[in-house]
């Protein structure tokens, strides 16, 4: 019986290998043999998670043709990977990727570190901050006081608690977007909202237009739903959305969905202007595309003089084009898994009906906690704490990275939780792999792209400040030096491959 669960074609693997940027060799540095470079390239793809574990690799002859190398080179590379534990083979079943015994599986998303590792590793992988106390404790206590009447019911509210739906609708109305409770569905986090939307609108094989780069976990969710991702390149720096590109892609590809983070974009931190928002809605309407807008960062404006544009749904008064996703996880606490969808009533009814075959509903106690925060003014107080904390961390991290890594380039966003950094020509994947060995965890750029893009970037979240930010930057600088000099970890650190 075959041990592989997915397959990587020869052309796809060649494209991924060729996306790995090779740095010029220094004086006196010997190039590795071709088979060694190929083996290290595949190994790096597995460690980075861009080629999953248990993925069947192409036959030796097919890959040799795709890379324009000899079959002997591919055979030797496969044999080296088998010897290192990164490849398994069986006659008649082919060869598939693996990880050596005792090694953790490569992360597919941006999962937080296990608590037992936090003492030795600085985690820059997860863009989430500790809870803003005392408001978490107060919210839970308030929720417990409101719980008894609900405890006498079945507890299943597929659309969400009526009180929370009404409160969320009121908040949209206060922002100048008239909204009824029937236009709100409460979900289990923004990921739960996106999962429901993708399953309703984008069946297997459907196209979804996405910003490039975009939020890694959402990209992975869409891939696993079977979507065909159509990347639309972001403009340089914080200028964000290139409307000519968006109009062309939506017109030519006619995707069923488009996904954007218009408020302090993850990972770049860009904030869409009103003109860009109007343009996105108009382009989507013209193409017959449903525009899904992720507002999870919308309340995290960190500078006092930031003027927030109208919500994107404000440019769609008929409600036929835009679906909005919100969440308490970024603005309040990632452990508070409450999200929501704002859409036309018929879309909400369809989402609720489909939910019967998914998770049935969102935990009542957490909904009551969020409703308590929103109805008592605690939300504004807690978000104020979150903004202050993120602002201090951002400023400390920017100062530390500029000091320790002056060759790295970035634009400082005025909100959100992330810094998108060009690494001076270094491989972000290699920095991520070497960084874990020196005690700092950082996600590499390709996690946020499609088909291996953004190898020369990393994302740094505003989750550490003060002395920890200084230490994180020093560890990143140490990792950068190791990558620059080609120092091999143990006896076999990954190198890049160019056919």
């Amino acid at each position: 019986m075959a041990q592989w669960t997915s397959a990587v074609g020869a052309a796809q693997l060649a494209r991924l290998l060729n996306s790995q940027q090779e740095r010029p060799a220094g004086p006196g540095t010997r190039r590795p043999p071709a088979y060694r470079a190929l083996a290290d390239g595949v190994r790096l793809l597995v460690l980075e998670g861009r080629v999953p574990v248990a993925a069947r690799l192409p036959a030796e002859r097919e890959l040799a043709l795709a890379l324009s190398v000899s079959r002997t080179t591919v055979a030797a590379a496969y044999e080296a990977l088998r010897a290192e534990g990164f490849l398994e083979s069986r006659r008649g079943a082919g060869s598939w990727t693996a990880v050596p015994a005792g090694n953790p599986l490569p992360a597919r998303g941006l999962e937080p570190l296990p608590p037992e590792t936090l003492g030795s590793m600085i985690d820059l992988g997860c863009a989430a901050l500790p809870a803003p106390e005392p408001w978490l404790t107060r919210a839970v206590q308030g929720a417990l006081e409101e719980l008894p009447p609900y405890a006498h019911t079945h507890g299943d509210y597929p659309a969400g608690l009526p009180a929370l739906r009404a409160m969320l609708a009121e908040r949209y109305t206060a922002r100048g977007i008239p909204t009824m409770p029937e236009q709100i569905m409460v979900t289990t986090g923004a990921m739960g909202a996106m999962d429901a939307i993708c399953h309703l609108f984008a069946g297997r094989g459907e196209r979804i237009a996405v910003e490039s780069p975009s939020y890694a976990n959402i990209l992975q969710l869409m891939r696993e739903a079977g979507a065909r991702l159509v990347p639309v390149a972001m403009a340089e720096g914080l200028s964000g959305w290139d409307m000519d590109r968006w109009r062309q892609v939506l017109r030519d590809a006619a995707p069923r969905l488009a996904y954007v983070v218009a408020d302090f974009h993850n990972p770049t931190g860009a904030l869409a202007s009103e003109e860009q928002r109007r343009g996105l809605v108009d382009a989507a309407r013209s193409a017959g595309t449903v525009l899904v807008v992720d507002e999870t960062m919308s309340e995290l404006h960190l500078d006092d003089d930031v003027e927030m544009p109208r919500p994107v749904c404000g440019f769609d008064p008929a409600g036929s084009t835009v679906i909005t996703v919100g969440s308490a996880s970024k603005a309040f606490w990632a452990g508070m898994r409450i999200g929501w969808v704002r859409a036309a009533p018929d879309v909400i009814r369809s989402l609720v009906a489909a939910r019967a075959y998914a998770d049935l509903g969102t935990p009542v106690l957490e909904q009551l906690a969020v409703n308590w925060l929103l109805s008592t003014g605690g939300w504004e107080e807690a978000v104020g704490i979150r903004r202050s904390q993120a602002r201090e961390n951002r400023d400390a991290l920017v100062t530390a990275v500029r000091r320790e890594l002056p060759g790295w380039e970035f634009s400082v966003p005025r909100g959100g939780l992330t810094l998108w950094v060009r690494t001076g020509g270094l491989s972000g994947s290699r920095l991520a792999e070497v960084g874990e060995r020196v005690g700092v965890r950082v996600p590499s750029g390709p996690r946020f792209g499609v088909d291996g893009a953004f190898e020369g970037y990393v994302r740094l979240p505003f989750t550490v400040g003060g002395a920890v930010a200084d230490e994180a930057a020093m560890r990143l600088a140490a990792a950068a030096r190791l990558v620059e000099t080609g120092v091999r970890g143990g006896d076999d650190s990954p190198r890049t491959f160019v056919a």
Side-chain angles (χ1 to χ4, degrees):
M1 178 179 176
Q3 301 298 306
W4 50 273
T5 58
S6 62
V8 180
Q12 180 187 6
L13 184 56
R15 184 168 63 252
L16 290 170
L17 288 164
N18 285 322
S19 74
Q20 298 171 336
Q21 297 177 356
E22 184 178 43
R23 290 188 60 77
T29 303
R30 297 175 57 186
R31 276 182 170 274
Y35 86 89
R36 181 69 262 169
L38 173 55
D40 287 342
V42 174
R43 176 176 179 267
L44 179 59
L45 291 173
V46 173
L47 288 171
E48 171 62 12
R50 289 186 285 155
V51 170
V53 173
R56 187 179 186 274
L57 295 186
E60 294 170 1
R61 187 185 302 276
E62 294 174 358
L63 185 57
L65 287 172
L67 293 173
S68 299
V69 299
S70 71
R71 183 176 177 181
T72 302
T73 295
V74 177
Y78 277 17
E79 182 57 37
L81 289 166
R82 278 190 286 269
E84 296 157 8
F86 286 92
L87 196 68
E88 297 180 9
S89 304
R90 179 176 296 174
R91 185 178 297 276
S95 300
W96 55 93
T97 55
V99 290
N103 281 30
L105 291 176
R108 302 181 68 191
L110 302 178
E111 298 83 358
L113 283 171
E116 61 270 17
T117 66
L118 294 178
S120 58
M121 183 76 69
I122 297 177
D123 185 9
L124 297 181
C126 188
L129 290 161
E133 289 287 29
W135 293 105
L136 174 62
T137 299
R138 291 180 183 177
V140 173
Q141 290 171 343
L144 288 172
E145 293 176 2
E146 299 291 333
L147 182 61
Y150 295 94
H152 293 291
T153 72
H154 49 64
D156 287 335
Y157 296 88
L161 293 184
L164 180 55
R165 296 176 73 194
M167 179 59 65
L168 291 168
E170 286 180 18
R171 289 178 66 82
Y172 277 105
T173 300
R175 294 168 68 189
I177 315 297
T179 304
M180 304 179 295
E182 292 79 9
Q183 291 178 260
I184 302 291
M185 181 178 83
V186 180
T187 62
T188 307
M191 291 292 289
M194 287 302 305
D195 183 63
I197 292 166
C198 287
H199 279 89
L200 180 63
F201 284 94
R204 187 164 294 275
E206 291 276 7
R207 295 184 180 93
I208 302 179
V210 295
E211 298 146 328
S212 183
S214 187
Y215 179 36
N217 287 339
I218 293 294
L219 294 179
Q220 185 62 30
L221 182 153
M222 292 173 176
R223 291 187 188 103
E224 294 190 359
R228 297 164 61 190
L229 302 185
V230 182
V232 186
M234 296 282 283
E236 284 293 316
L238 298 177
S239 53
W241 295 259
D242 184 324
M243 292 316 306
D244 289 337
R245 290 175 179 170
W246 272 98
R247 280 187 285 269
Q248 179 181 355
V249 168
L250 295 183
R251 181 182 63 248
D252 295 346
R256 186 69 181 92
L257 288 179
Y259 169 77
V260 298
V261 187
D263 298 291
F264 307 117
H265 175 259
N266 187 352
T268 68
L271 176 65
S273 67
E274 291 215 356
E275 182 180 354
Q276 289 170 327
R277 293 166 191 246
R278 182 182 293 105
L280 286 168
V281 174
D282 290 345
R285 184 184 295 116
S286 296
T289 297
V290 175
L291 182 64
V292 183
V293 180
D294 184 333
E295 284 192 338
T296 54
M297 297 281 190
S298 64
E299 297 196 59
L300 293 177
H301 45 89
L302 305 185
D303 296 332
D304 294 336
D305 59 345
V306 174
E307 293 187 12
M308 293 299 296
R310 279 188 294 166
V312 177
C313 57
F315 298 94
D316 180 37
S320 60
T321 300
V322 176
I323 295 177
T324 303
V325 172
S327 171
S329 298
K330 295 298 185 185
F332 184 74
W333 183 47
M336 188 67 77
R337 304 305 304 159
I338 298 295
W340 53 86
V341 178
R342 181 201 180 273
D346 63 318
V347 172
I348 294 298
R349 286 193 294 270
S350 297
L351 289 170
V352 171
R355 194 173 193 178
Y357 307 101
D359 64 354
L360 293 178
T362 300
V364 170
L365 188 62
E366 292 185 30
Q367 292 187 71
L368 288 172
V370 171
N371 190 60
W372 184 92
L373 286 166
L374 294 174
S375 61
T376 62
W379 179 268
E380 284 70 23
E381 295 283 347
V383 172
I385 294 172
R386 171 66 73 242
R387 290 192 191 113
S388 177
Q389 189 176 19
R391 184 188 308 114
E392 292 176 5
N393 288 354
R394 178 198 62 181
D395 295 346
L397 187 64
V398 165
T399 299
V401 172
R402 282 178 170 164
R403 181 182 64 245
E404 301 294 335
L405 293 150
W408 287 18
E409 303 171 43
F410 52 85
S411 299
V412 181
R414 308 193 68 191
L417 288 173
T418 57
L419 197 66
W420 185 238
V421 181
R422 182 183 282 116
T423 57
L426 298 181
S427 162
S429 298
R430 295 168 74 189
L431 281 165
E433 200 251 339
V434 174
E436 294 218 17
R437 296 205 297 269
V438 299
V440 60
R441 182 174 183 256
V442 58
S444 63
R447 290 196 181 280
F448 304 89
V450 177
D451 288 335
F454 306 109
E455 184 60 58
Y457 289 81
V458 293
R459 190 195 74 171
L460 305 181
F462 310 145
T463 52
V464 296
V468 180
D470 291 337
E471 180 64 24
M474 287 189 284
R475 294 184 187 186
L476 282 172
R481 287 192 294 271
L482 290 174
V483 172
E484 282 180 324
T485 57
V487 172
R488 299 166 72 85
D491 59 359
D492 196 15
S493 168
R495 296 183 186 272
T496 54
F497 175 79
V498 176

